[in-house]
Amino acid sequence: MKKIAIIGAGLSGTTTAIYLLKYALQPVELFLFEENKTRLNKGVAYSQTIPYQPLNVVASGMSLYTDDSTHFVEWLRNKNIAIPGASLEKAFVRRDVFGNYIKDEFEKVIGLNPNKINVRGEVVTDINKTENTLVVTTSNGQIEVDAVLLATGNFPPADIPIKNEQFYKSSKYIANPWSSEVMLNQERPKKYLLVGAGLTMFDLAISLNACNPENKLISLSRRGYLPNEHRFFEKSSSITFNDIDFENTNLGALLIYFRKKVNDLKKEGIDWRQLMDALREHTPVIWKNLSQKDKAQFLRHVRPFWEVHRHRVPQLSNDRLKELVRKNTLEIAEGRIIDMCEKDNRVEVTYFSKKQRAIEKMMVDVVVNCTGPQSNYRKMNHPLIERLVQKKTIQSDELHLGLLTNECGALIGEDGVVSKNIFTIGPARKGMLWESTALREIRIQAKQFVETINNL
């Protein structure tokens, strides 16, 4: 029997546990570690219950199983969950509902596989190698296993770089936009600065308005770009890429190619969104074969445009945000924060305004960091990650997007040696795959891990 430790029980860890219990070809005993009970099976993304937080993928694309695309939709039907104004297949379901789906499926699979999984609410602090196994050290002791999967998911954003680092300790600064702090104390209206303009900002702006319509909101980001909205098409077009070799190209050639492709499709009446969706399965190959220089250029110059076209929002979210802007409840600003400090029981924010081309100040009541997850593993505030980095068991990829791994997710230490039994999944593999945070990729990686364990 193979003993496997999965560290983290959000979407990545839970999906992998389900896959192992269902599809492993040999008996397995699983140890699933999740120190935060409220996030068990749901992680950060699907355990919140803020007023407005829909998925940004339709229900038909959110099945836990690669071979059963209707699984989530059928679960919704069985639970008598209906979405006004939309078919279930095309509905953008609330995130907490999807979290309940993951938990339900996990408990169902456990019921069919009693005594094969141990759920532990312990903090994992170290992993050590023996001759053929691994010893996992926790806050309660040690466990010897044959393989470990790091499924730690997304980490909170890195702190906004400012001169006055003491402000990070202020109660008026919310470093983690997914914490319950954001929605507290809504009895009186406040002025919020939401740093960032992505999907998290959308959900928080709409939710803060729902909590108290008198709240004033400012979204400040370097470019002020907002995500585009999803659209549905009566007829999907079959888009192919037979006229380009993704394994032998460069960033400049790719940009020229895709601009031409978009223009050609536009003449045929095909929306660019269909091109983005068709490109999805090819993205890992493209990313893998780009030079480090091209990858760095992409991150510096192209990424902002990629993000707003790739990570889109439901039409309802877009409509609601536009309404907040129309009512002057929300201001979309472009600029760069220079400093922040408490002043007269509020926050004075010094920033460079792109519109005014000058340094300006604003006064707000609360600052929420919505800049996106921290991905530099050398800077993680996490006991296990810090320990593994210190021991050189793991290392960040060159661009600090995630961890260095091989094609199967096996971790590569600073000595360049590929681990035989320590793996990772999800956001940690972004540096190797670029696309590695959504359910679509996590399902594939979970299945890949099962195949690896079958051959271990």
Side-chain angles (χ1 to χ4, degrees), residues 91-104:
F92 292 96
V93 180
R94 291 200 326 268
R95 284 179 176 266
D96 61 312
V97 171
F98 180 73
N100 292 335
Y101 160 66
I102 304 170
K103 191 172 186 66
D104 269 13

Side-chain angles (χ1 to χ4, degrees), residues 207-219:
S207 293
L208 286 167
N209 177 255
C211 286
N212 190 330
E214 298 302 314
N215 283 329
K216 295 296 181 182
L217 313 166
I218 301 173
S219 165

Side-chain angles (χ1 to χ4, degrees), residues 7 123-128 135-138 383-384 387-388 391:
I7 301 170
V123 178
V124 178
T125 57
D126 203 358
I127 301 169
N128 289 291
V135 176
V136 176
T137 301
T138 78
L384 177 60
R387 181 65 178 145
L388 295 180
K391 291 165 56 177

Side-chain angles (χ1 to χ4, degrees), residues 315-330:
Q315 183 181 352
L316 180 60
S317 298
N318 203 35
D319 290 345
R320 289 192 177 187
L321 200 87
K322 285 181 178 178
E323 182 65 10
L324 295 182
V325 173
R326 189 188 68 79
K327 291 180 175 179
N328 294 318
T329 297
L330 170 66

Side-chain angles (χ1 to χ4, degrees), residues 7-15 32-50 53 55 64 95-104 106 151-156 176-180 427 437 442:
I7 301 170
L11 175 62
S12 298
T14 301
T15 301
L32 185 60
F33 294 94
E34 179 51 64
E35 58 191 90
N36 189 326
K37 292 182 180 180
T38 63
R39 295 177 183 172
L40 180 63
N41 306 137
K42 301 181 180 184
V44 174
Y46 310 111
S47 59
Q48 291 178 293
T49 55
I50 64 176
Q53 197 180 35
L55 297 169
L64 280 173
R95 284 179 176 266
D96 61 312
V97 171
F98 180 73
N100 292 335
Y101 160 66
I102 304 170
K103 191 172 186 66
D104 269 13
F106 177 74
T152 47
N154 281 317
F155 289 90
N176 184 349
W178 310 302
S179 72
S180 58
T437 59
I442 288 167

Side-chain angles (χ1 to χ4, degrees), residues 161-387:
I162 53 176
K163 297 177 182 178
N164 175 31
E165 294 186 356
Q166 284 295 114
F167 181 71
Y168 298 152
K169 299 176 183 179
S170 171
S171 61
K172 301 179 187 304
Y173 172 61
I174 301 177
N176 184 349
W178 310 302
S179 72
S180 58
E181 292 179 76
V182 183
M183 298 297 151
L184 293 178
N185 303 318
Q186 293 295 319
E187 296 80 13
R188 66 175 185 85
K190 292 190 281 291
K191 189 173 184 178
Y192 288 83
L193 174 61
L194 308 178
V195 185
L199 302 177
T200 300
M201 185 281 289
F202 264 71
D203 291 346
L204 290 187
I206 297 169
S207 293
L208 286 167
N209 177 255
C211 286
N212 190 330
E214 298 302 314
N215 283 329
K216 295 296 181 182
L217 313 166
I218 301 173
S219 165
L220 178 65
S221 63
R222 297 232 174 176
R223 295 173 179 83
Y225 297 156
L226 299 177
N228 282 273
E229 70 174 45
H230 284 289
R231 288 183 186 170
F232 297 110
F233 308 98
E234 293 298 324
K235 183 179 180 181
S236 296
S237 300
S238 179
I239 298 173
T240 60
F241 302 101
N242 299 326
D243 51 346
I244 187 171
D245 180 3
F246 286 139
E247 295 185 12
N248 295 284
T249 187
N250 58 64
L251 182 60
L254 284 168
L255 292 175
I256 292 170
Y257 172 80
F258 285 117
R259 284 194 189 103
K260 183 178 185 303
K261 193 82 170 176
V262 168
N263 288 332
D264 290 345
L265 292 172
K266 189 175 181 180
K267 292 174 183 176
E268 299 176 37
I270 299 173
D271 192 282
W272 58 264
R273 291 168 179 79
Q274 295 192 59
L275 174 65
M276 292 294 293
D277 295 340
L279 183 63
R280 183 86 172 269
E281 65 180 282
H282 302 281
T283 303
V285 173
I286 296 172
W287 188 254
K288 175 187 172 183
N289 288 283
L290 285 178
S291 68
Q292 286 298 111
K293 181 180 178 181
D294 274 354
K295 289 177 182 177
Q297 291 278 5
F298 173 86
L299 294 176
R300 190 175 301 115
H301 301 295
V302 183
R303 183 178 187 171
F305 303 97
W306 169 273
E307 297 283 6
V308 299
H309 287 82
R310 164 67 185 86
H311 300 289
R312 305 188 293 274
V313 296
Q315 183 181 352
L316 180 60
S317 298
N318 203 35
D319 290 345
R320 289 192 177 187
L321 200 87
K322 285 181 178 178
E323 182 65 10
L324 295 182
V325 173
R326 189 188 68 79
K327 291 180 175 179
N328 294 318
T329 297
L330 170 66
E331 176 187 350
I332 306 297
E334 301 174 53
R336 174 177 54 86
I337 291 178
I338 298 171
D339 210 357
M340 294 184 284
C341 64
E342 288 195 43
K343 186 175 182 180
D344 299 329
N345 202 33
R346 300 188 78 200
V347 181
E348 181 182 75
V349 180
T350 305
Y351 68 105
F352 178 80
S353 169
K354 189 175 179 181
K355 182 178 180 180
Q356 301 298 330
R357 304 299 298 173
I359 294 176
E360 299 196 339
K361 295 181 185 294
M362 71 170 83
M363 298 297 294
V364 298
D365 297 299
V366 182
V367 176
V368 186
N369 187 346
C370 304
T371 56
Q374 164 73 281
S375 60
N376 185 344
Y377 279 71
R378 285 195 168 277
K379 296 182 178 181
M380 296 297 182
N381 182 22
H382 185 282
L384 177 60
I385 298 300
E386 289 176 346
R387 181 65 178 145

